[in-house]
Amino acid sequence: RDELIKGQGRGCLLKEIHLNVTDLGLGYQTKEELIFRYCSGPCYDSETNYDKILNNLTQNKKLDKESPSQTCCRPIAFDDDLSFLDDSLEYHTLKKHSAKKCACV
Amino acid sequence: WEGSWGLYFPQTTYSDCIYVGQAAGTPVLQVHAMQEKASEQPYFCLYWRQLQKTALYASWFHIDAVTGMIYMNKTLDWTDFESISSSRVPHATRLILKVAAAPISQKMLCSQSANVEVSLTFFNSTAPTCGQIKLDRLCFPDRDTNPHIKENRIPGPMRQLRRFTHADICPNYTISYRVESETPVPFVLNGTTSELVVTAPVDREEKEFYRLVLMCLIKTEDTMHTLVTPMHINIFDEDDSPPYVNGTDTEDVLIEFSRSKGAAFGNMFVYDRDTTSTYHKEQSQNKYVWTLLTNDSWINDTFTIQQNFSEEKPIFGNVRGTVYKYKLRLNKNISVDERRSFQLDFLVNDTTFRGPEGTVMLHFNVTILPVPITFSNITYFFVLSRKSMTYAQIGKVCVDNCLKFKGIEIAYHLELGDRNISANVQSCYTAVNVARNLEDMSGVLYVNDTEPLRRPECQELQFVLVAQEQHKELQAKTIVIIIFEGEAYPLSMEGQRSLACAEKRQRGECETFRGLGTPTGRCQWRQGTEKVISENYSTCSPDLRTCPDGYCDVIESKNISICPQDCTHEPIIGGHERGLMLGIKAGHGTCYCYSEKCFCEQDDMKEEICDDMCKTVIATA
């Protein structure tokens, strides 16, 4: 899509899934539901010399045991807060729980 | 303003319909005004001034000044409707008239007097024929408003039941009304005029409303029809009951440990069978006024009366009445050495009650006792491990009754017990300090410095604990002995980068860790059992007696690493319930914190059991 700036990773996309709040595994007891958006996809096309060097060093076992993290597809902005009522009629608000924008970082 | 002269309309609005073809001279509607005195015969007038300009249709109507009957002045034709209709509603338009009433003696002032709105719906059609109209429309209005009357007024007619416009549609029918009720009521029907008449003054304190059944009897050529509708008549209240006291008019008040500004004592009730509206707050608040009957300026400056009122029903025989509640309230803190006793009289006045005895006198028997600042517990004695860490809580100290104190400020500090000691031993005494609890007037002893704990000469410390009352500077002293026992840690164990127990996520690593604030030198693990968000979440704490207990106490608030579970300001990640001001109230699984940042999550990893290797580590540490 044109919105994706060049070098920001064409494969790294925002996806969504319809879930129950209980599926989030945070321990809340409620029947409410939500749309959870997440970032997913490869980030090869946004790699730099730095990433290539790290790759080479890891493969050649020059960096013993350490494996520095590589470019990955992560949210750079989050959805609005989500509030819901639980089964004991108390309100909870989730912040930064769902992605709004993704990028390779 | 004497504008109403006790005259009032028993209805807030009147409404009816008019049609094209309605003839000049026919009656439309009758209004009634209720009187307070027999001499106040009402005089009615149509009244336009409050409307923006005299309405075009003003000349179509006239009112009989004596009966309140509104008549057509002209025969309505189709052009009349066009002259006043708005294009929005083509088939009907609403005409608003205002009717005012004044006593005949004041008839020049009629238009300034009590007035009521009359709403006439003008249909752009001729009246329905007798065959088209439903029988109940001949009898009763489509939409009725409940009438009201005031208590203690002279009886008289209150409502015209006949619907003039509709009743004339069927000239061959005879329409008459009857009123019925299950119990005797002070209402009858005047068969000649079809007016509902009040037969006797009513008392709201006896009955707040009357339920009537109106029956309309229509006699056609061959049958008799009976139609029925309910009517609910509200009785409006006026201040005709004096205040009274049920039982005693004297209350004993003892002022001792609670002596802060705003503290309230005693409970005295004054009853009034009248209602008091909470809507006109200004008016209601001023209805009852109290006065302190004392010339003593100290009493006047120190005390005030707190007045509240509420509406009650059962205690007044299922009719609404008012209960006023009086409390004695402090205007300022009373100092600890104040000793007085006196009787405080105050007068409560029902200002709108017209009869005699509109006041009641009440009394507070006040005793103010001084509060001694003393320690009755002669010596405090605490034993603590030499392994305890900085900010470990040693124990609580309290001057007598300190937990009950309100409005009394106490500060605690520690002094050396024996001044003739060597500088080396004196330096031991930095090991302990005392802090005032945030919520009450007790003190908390805590480990201030762990360095002396390693020195053998510092194992027994004897302090003088001084409690000082802040206003009058009264002092109390007692002796505190603190013994550090057991082995101390060797110096080499110091130098951990982080000291927070709360960082540890597992029992094993928690219970082997020397965290800040631990009285034993080891963090303690709390194992939660629930799968959902619970106040009993798993966590690692320096001292499970104080952390996490949902309250960030004075010692914990000295350093965020002691108990971030109770004290964090920051948002918590994971399933949780936030504490009221600070901290975690309930969490999901295990809650752990790095500095102020706390996380709660279910740990699915198998709990690491403390094996033989682990036990050796603890034993040798």
Side-chain angles (χ1 to χ4, degrees):
Chain A
R1 289 222 276 166
D2 293 344
E3 282 171 31
L4 291 169
I5 309 154
K6 201 181 173 196
Q8 290 281 295
R10 282 166 205 284
C12 171
L13 294 172
L14 188 63
K15 300 182 181 172
E16 65 177 45
I17 176 173
H18 187 135
L19 293 173
N20 295 324
V21 170
T22 45
D23 295 334
L24 304 180
L26 298 178
Y28 296 112
Q29 302 284 297
T30 175
K31 289 178 183 65
E32 300 216 35
E33 300 169 14
L34 81 162
I35 303 284
F36 174 69
R37 297 192 178 83
Y38 60 100
C39 300
S40 168
C43 279
Y44 304 127
D45 58 354
S46 60
E47 284 185 351
T48 58
N49 275 334
Y50 168 81
D51 298 297
K52 299 292 175 203
I53 294 166
L54 268 189
N55 245 342
N56 297 339
L57 291 179
T58 321
Q59 278 179 11
N60 300 341
K61 312 222 158 122
K62 289 265 161 90
L63 305 174
D64 39 290
K65 288 185 182 174
E66 278 199 81
S67 50
S69 38
Q70 294 172 319
T71 314
C72 61
C73 182
R74 291 275 303 159
I76 53 166
F78 291 99
D79 257 349
D80 294 342
D81 295 353
L82 172 81
S83 289
F84 59 90
L85 199 60
D86 73 12
D87 290 352
S88 44
L89 303 181
E90 273 184 65
Y91 269 107
H92 299 278
T93 300
L94 291 180
K95 292 170 188 289
K96 295 193 179 179
H97 64 289
S98 170
K100 189 177 185 180
K101 233 179 180 178
C102 302
C104 290
V105 289
Chain B
W1 185 48
E2 298 286 304
S4 62
W5 290 283
L7 275 181
Y8 71 96
F9 291 97
Q11 246 172 274
T12 50
T13 55
Y14 289 85
S15 58
D16 214 323
C17 309
I18 50 177
Y19 297 93
V20 172
Q22 194 137 352
T26 54
V28 180
L29 193 131
Q30 186 179 14
V31 301
H32 287 91
M34 306 297 292
Q35 299 157 248
E36 187 169 280
K37 298 190 207 103
S39 59
E40 285 180 341
Q41 271 300 322
Y43 175 90
F44 296 96
C45 58
L46 281 173
Y47 155 72
W48 304 101
R49 222 181 37 206
Q50 252 182 16
L51 302 168
Q52 282 171 337
K53 54 182 178 185
T54 300
L56 285 169
Y57 50 82
S59 61
W60 298 357
F61 305 96
H62 82 266
I63 190 164
D64 183 320
V66 177
T67 60
M69 191 83 84
I70 298 171
Y71 294 94
M72 294 307 300
N73 235 1
K74 72 179 302 263
T75 304
L76 295 175
D77 58 41
W78 298 97
T79 53
D80 291 328
F81 185 86
E82 281 159 27
S83 70
I84 53 157
S85 72
S86 66
S87 54
R88 276 186 301 162
V89 193
H91 64 278
T93 188
R94 179 171 293 175
L95 313 183
I96 303 290
L97 284 65
K98 286 220 170 193
V99 176
I104 281 193
S105 58
Q106 307 277 349
K107 67 180 183 186
M108 300 307 288
L109 298 172
C110 178
S111 61
Q112 294 171 26
S113 310
N115 63 64
V116 72
E117 200 172 273
V118 175
S119 160
L120 297 175
T121 309
F122 185 6
F123 286 98
N124 191 14
S125 62
T126 54
T129 62
C130 189
Q132 289 171 328
I133 197 158
K134 278 189 179 170
L135 286 180
D136 56 354
R137 293 199 72 199
L138 295 177
C139 294
F140 305 121
D142 306 333
R143 208 157 33 92
D144 202 4
T145 51
N146 288 327
H148 60 265
I149 57 174
K150 292 186 184 174
E151 61 170 343
N152 309 323
R153 301 301 171 100
I154 63 164
M158 63 171 289
R159 179 182 265 204
Q160 173 62 255
L161 296 179
R162 199 167 172 80
R163 303 195 68 203
F164 295 111
T165 305
H166 291 93
D168 289 344
I169 290 172
C170 297
N172 293 336
Y173 294 1
T174 344
I175 301 173
S176 59
Y177 293 91
R178 258 173 46 202
V179 58
E180 287 200 348
S181 75
E182 288 178 4
T183 51
V185 289
F187 301 96
V188 293
L189 200 94
N190 181 335
T192 346
T193 59
S194 304
E195 283 171 310
L196 184 64
V197 179
V198 189
T199 56
V202 289
D203 182 8
R204 189 207 64 91
E205 281 72 41
E206 202 177 288
K207 203 162 164 56
E208 286 198 282
F209 54 84
Y210 289 89
R211 282 185 220 268
L212 308 182
V213 176
L214 291 183
M215 300 178 80
C216 176
L217 310 167
I218 303 179
K219 200 170 147 199
T220 61
E221 294 91 47
D222 43 7
T223 41
M224 184 81 167
H225 301 271
T226 307
L227 293 107
V228 173
T229 193
M231 180 181 258
H232 183 106
I233 300 172
N234 287 312
I235 310 302
F236 279 15
D237 193 24
E238 60 183 14
D239 192 351
D240 58 344
S241 310
Y244 64 95
V245 174
N246 201 355
T248 175
D249 59 357
T250 307
E251 175 111 340
D252 291 333
V253 163
L254 176 66
I255 300 176
E256 198 174 8
F257 302 119
S258 174
R259 37 176 77 214
S260 63
K261 180 181 178 179
F265 305 90
N267 253 339
M268 212 98 95
F269 297 98
V270 172
Y271 301 85
D272 189 323
R273 296 181 57 85
D274 292 317
T275 52
T276 309
S277 168
T278 51
Y279 290 107
H280 303 284
K281 201 128 197 174
E282 281 305 308
Q283 191 186 320
S284 315
Q285 299 277 325
N286 298 332
K287 196 180 158 196
Y288 263 59
V289 295
W290 53 264
T291 328
L292 281 184
L293 301 179
T294 176
N295 292 328
D296 186 324
S297 63
W298 186 86
I299 295 176
N300 261 317
D301 289 349
T302 311
F303 293 100
T304 186
I305 302 288
Q306 177 180 312
Q307 171 180 292
N308 286 317
F309 68 85
S310 59
E311 188 178 281
E312 301 286 341
K313 205 165 166 178
I315 55 169
F316 296 110
N318 225 19
V319 169
R320 291 172 305 145
T322 311
V323 177
Y324 286 84
K325 182 157 111 181
Y326 294 91
K327 278 176 176 282
L328 186 64
R329 206 175 138 95
L330 294 186
N331 261 345
K332 55 183 190 188
N333 286 6
I334 298 181
S335 67
V336 280
D337 56 353
E338 195 68 56
R339 176 199 291 275
R340 273 173 202 253
S341 71
F342 52 88
Q343 177 169 308
L344 183 57
D345 305 324
F346 68 105
L347 196 65
V348 171
N349 186 5
D350 180 354
T351 52
T352 50
F353 179 68
R354 284 187 236 162
E357 312 204 351
T359 59
V360 285
M361 174 90 91
L362 300 170
H363 319 276
F364 281 119
N365 259 335
V366 184
T367 310
I368 305 175
L369 293 179
V371 174
I373 304 296
T374 53
F375 285 106
S376 60
N377 186 354
I378 300 163
T379 304
Y380 281 103
F381 190 80
F382 297 104
V383 179
L384 198 69
S385 161
R386 284 174 79 193
K387 290 182 170 137
S388 62
M389 293 285 284
T390 311
Y391 299 122
Q393 297 192 21
I394 300 167
K396 274 199 175 180
V397 292
C398 179
V399 294
D400 296 347
N401 302 303
C402 80
L403 297 179
K404 297 183 198 160
F405 286 4
K406 289 214 171 71
I408 303 171
E409 286 286 318
I410 303 288
Y412 294 95
H413 68 270
L414 292 172
E415 288 175 358
L416 288 186
D418 180 4
R419 289 181 194 283
N420 301 325
I421 47 174
S422 67
N424 189 33
V425 176
Q426 270 193 29
S427 67
C428 293
Y429 285 78
T430 59
V432 175
N433 207 346
V434 63
R436 232 283 310 291
N437 215 336
L438 298 172
E439 286 200 328
D440 54 45
M441 290 297 145
S442 65
V444 185
L445 294 166
Y446 65 97
V447 176
N448 183 47
D449 181 8
T450 51
E451 187 274 329
L453 269 48
R454 270 182 233 107
R455 290 159 36 200
E457 69 272 24
C458 298
Q459 282 188 50
E460 183 176 329
L461 304 178
Q462 182 172 336
F463 292 97
V464 173
L465 172 68
V466 182
Q468 182 155 331
E469 193 275 325
Q470 298 289 282
H471 187 62
K472 292 276 169 179
E473 308 209 328
L474 304 175
Q475 274 196 347
K477 293 186 180 185
T478 191
I479 290 170
V480 175
I481 296 169
I482 299 168
I483 292 177
F484 291 100
E485 60 167 23
E487 288 293 307
Y489 281 113
L491 259 178
S492 60
M493 285 295 284
E494 295 298 311
Q496 305 175 116
R497 215 188 284 158
S498 165
L499 295 165
C501 294
E503 285 187 8
K504 304 301 169 195
R505 295 177 59 178
Q506 259 139 37
R507 180 185 285 269
E509 54 177 2
C510 170
E511 289 178 343
T512 53
F513 187 69
R514 295 190 63 201
L516 209 57
T518 54
T520 58
R522 296 283 179 214
C523 299
Q524 299 175 355
W525 180 256
R526 183 172 81 180
Q527 182 61 48
T529 47
E530 289 185 62
K531 286 280 171 208
V532 294
I533 294 171
S534 147
E535 292 189 21
N536 188 30
Y537 56 86
S538 300
T539 199
C540 184
S541 142
D543 188 346
L544 288 174
R545 292 170 301 176
T546 56
C547 171
D549 59 355
Y551 170 64
C552 187
D553 66 38
V554 62
I555 308 301
E556 286 164 5
S557 57
K558 284 179 185 291
N559 186 321
I560 189 65
S561 293
I562 304 170
C563 186
Q565 297 99 314
D566 283 344
C567 299
T568 179
H569 292 80
E570 298 218 353
I572 295 144
I573 311 295
H576 72 280
E577 244 173 77
R578 197 147 180 111
L580 196 58
M581 305 272 285
L582 306 167
I584 306 167
K585 186 179 166 204
H588 182 224
T590 305
C591 295
Y592 56 94
C593 306
Y594 297 119
S595 185
E596 270 213 69
K597 185 114 183 163
C598 294
F599 304 82
C600 294
E601 63 190 272
Q602 188 80 54
D603 246 331
D604 286 330
M605 282 183 282
K606 279 247 166 74
E607 171 67 20
E608 275 181 46
I609 299 157
C610 194
D611 54 17
D612 288 342
M613 172 67 178
C614 155
K615 281 174 184 151
T616 336
V617 172
I618 297 177
T620 52

